Amino acid sequence: MLLRTIDGAFRVALADMYYLKRNLLTVMITVMILPLLYFVSFAYGLGSTVDNTEGVTYIAFVIPGIVSLSTLSSCFSTTANKIMLQRRFYSSFDEVILCPVSSDSVVLGKAMLGIVRGLMCAAILIILGLLMTDDFAITPMLLFTVFVSCLTYSLLGVVAGFMVKGPPTFNLFNSLVILPMTFLCGTVFSVSAMPQSLQALIQVLPLTHTTECIRSAALGWEFPWVSLIVVLAYGTAFFLISRYLLEKGRV
């Protein structure tokens, strides 16, 4: 059953993979702009004025946060935009639904483009991190948490792609959900610096936990297993919501 689901997911994702292959340079330039701007402005600009954060240099602190942020921005936007265009403008998503594959395969297959794009973006940023500071290290848990993060936010993109009615609704979703996480979840500053009343809200957001997992894995800190469980729970919830919307004809 599992192998059949995975095989169906790859079949669903095949057209998206061909799209990525044909537009690889354009896709990578587009997705790397925001993370590179964060690198320049925070790692180099602000980093030169901050001595250390939570026991490490600010550059070492902020690089894992930028990696985490890149998984959110690249995976979500890639998946949600692609599905929205296929549903609302090209009507090609109807062909996918008619294919003899399970709902699980459709959901995972449509998330795959975002996963691949997010992993490529994260790999580039991780290499830059290795070059910029000795405190940053590649570990098995870092690779695993980056993959889980890409999967989670790609599934969030599937949910958004299924729900939005067009560009205005997508922009609203992005403004209410994605943008607040970008600035509030400890990617470029410590969450402890925020007011106590706001910290409770920040701890509910999934990007806070992916950032903590990636940062701890990259800097050799004690790994926050609770945060990993929270991220996996979010990913599971996004998957179940996507499957529900697909099976109930809400797409």
Side-chain angles (χ1 to χ4, degrees):
M1 182 65 178
L2 178 60
L3 293 177
R4 184 181 301 175
T5 299
I6 295 175
D7 178 70
F10 277 105
R11 293 177 185 274
V12 171
L14 188 59
D16 291 336
M17 294 300 104
Y18 280 128
Y19 164 81
L20 179 62
K21 180 180 178 181
R22 290 193 305 269
N23 301 278
L24 182 60
L25 182 60
T26 302
V27 168
M28 291 308 299
I29 292 176
T30 303
V31 78
M32 288 300 297
I33 292 297
L34 181 61
L36 288 177
L37 287 175
Y38 271 91
F39 256 113
V40 173
S41 60
F42 287 97
Y44 283 113
L46 184 59
S48 62
T49 64
V50 179
D51 293 331
N52 62 77
T53 303
E54 296 191 8
V56 296
T57 63
Y58 182 74
I59 291 179
F61 176 85
V62 79
I63 289 174
I66 296 174
V67 172
S68 177
L69 176 61
S70 72
T71 62
L72 170 65
S73 59
S74 59
C75 295
F76 172 81
S77 61
T78 299
T79 306
N81 271 309
K82 190 68 175 178
I83 294 176
M84 181 184 68
L85 291 173
Q86 289 176 342
R87 288 176 55 235
R88 296 298 173 185
F89 297 97
Y90 301 128
S91 299
S92 58
F93 190 77
D94 295 340
E95 299 176 2
V96 177
I97 297 178
L98 294 174
C99 292
V101 293
S102 65
S103 299
D104 294 350
S105 295
V106 173
V107 172
L108 293 176
K110 300 313 295 182
M112 204 166 294
L113 176 63
I115 294 172
V116 172
R117 186 176 178 182
L119 290 174
M120 294 170 63
C121 181
I124 296 173
L125 295 173
I126 288 172
I127 293 172
L128 291 176
L130 291 173
L131 297 175
M132 293 175 64
T133 175
D134 294 333
D135 295 326
F136 191 94
I138 298 178
T139 63
M141 282 307 300
L142 172 63
L143 301 179
F144 177 71
T145 52
V146 167
F147 173 77
V148 170
S149 180
C150 290
L151 175 61
T152 299
Y153 297 126
S154 292
L155 290 171
L156 175 60
V158 175
V159 173
F162 284 175
M163 293 179 62
V164 299
K165 305 300 183 182
T169 313
F170 175 78
N171 291 334
L172 178 62
F173 190 97
N174 192 71
S175 298
L176 294 179
V177 179
I178 304 303
L179 193 60
M181 285 199 290
T182 300
F183 290 98
L184 294 178
C185 293
T187 53
V188 294
F189 58 84
S190 176
V191 173
S192 60
M194 302 296 291
Q196 287 291 335
S197 57
L198 191 56
Q199 286 186 35
L201 173 62
I202 293 174
Q203 290 298 329
V204 174
L205 302 174
L207 186 60
T208 302
H209 298 280
T210 55
T211 301
E212 290 179 0
C213 289
I214 292 174
R215 182 170 286 136
S216 298
L219 301 181
W221 296 351
E222 182 179 356
F223 191 80
W225 294 102
V226 173
S227 291
L228 179 60
I229 292 173
V230 172
V231 176
L232 291 172
Y234 267 108
T236 302
F238 296 149
F239 174 79
L240 294 175
I241 293 171
S242 300
R243 189 175 66 178
Y244 171 81
L245 293 173
L246 187 62
E247 292 180 346
K248 296 299 182 180
R250 305 292 179 86
V251 178

